[in-house]
Amino acid sequence: MPLSVLIVMGSDSDLEQITPAWKVLESLGVDFEVAVASAHRSPDRVMALARTAREKGFGVVLAAAGGAAHLAGVFAAHTTLPVVAVPIVMGTLGGVDALLSAVQMPGGVPIASVGIGGARNAGYFAAAILSATDPELAARLEAFRLEQTSKVGEADARVKSKLGKK
Ligand code: RP5
């Protein structure tokens, strides 16, 4: 049974911005589950999710939160699974605060992070992590990359034809 992805978000107000992550996972045939759990409003729920994530068959966790977000770091405190922060665009600092709280974690409990509002890349990164132990997923990822590459060639031809250049 292939490992799946747990997408945890700090609030249901994060749902729209995290949606590209699960769309990518769907497109690659990767199983995922979603949960709302806040590191400061429901810390016990975050801890319970994190402590049972591995036994439930998750191989990677995407943690979406905005503000001075600590969801990814708190989640990682309770699991040794890889945790990837998805900094949400919000508030006075527009997500910079969430990004810095993820990438400036003190040593010993690492988390990775995509860029601010980087849910789409979070989906691809989670798939890449799982592909290390899932050759079929690795093949689907490779097919996606090839398709993406061919689209660049098509875009090149479109732009040249629009400008009347060869
Ligand atoms: C964070 O605070 C959540 O992840 C969300 O990005 C932000 C605002 O939450 P709400 O006040 O909209 O519930 O914990």
Side-chain angles (χ1 to χ4, degrees), residues 9-14 38-41 64-67 69 71 88 90:
M9 61 200 90
S11 167
D12 58 352
S13 66
D14 299 322
S38 164
H40 51 283
R41 293 172 181 156
L71 178 60
I88 295 294
M90 70 153 280

Side-chain angles (χ1 to χ4, degrees), residues 7-12 14-15 18 22 34-38 62-65 71:
I7 300 175
V8 56
M9 61 200 90
S11 167
D12 58 352
D14 299 322
L15 181 59
I18 192 63
W22 59 260
V34 294
V36 176
S38 164
L62 300 182
L71 178 60

Side-chain angles (χ1 to χ4, degrees), residues 1-6 30-33 56-61 130:
M1 181 82 173
L3 296 170
S4 59
V5 179
L6 175 60
V30 177
D31 271 348
F32 65 92
E33 286 183 24
K56 287 180 182 160
F58 297 113
V60 54
V61 179
L130 296 187

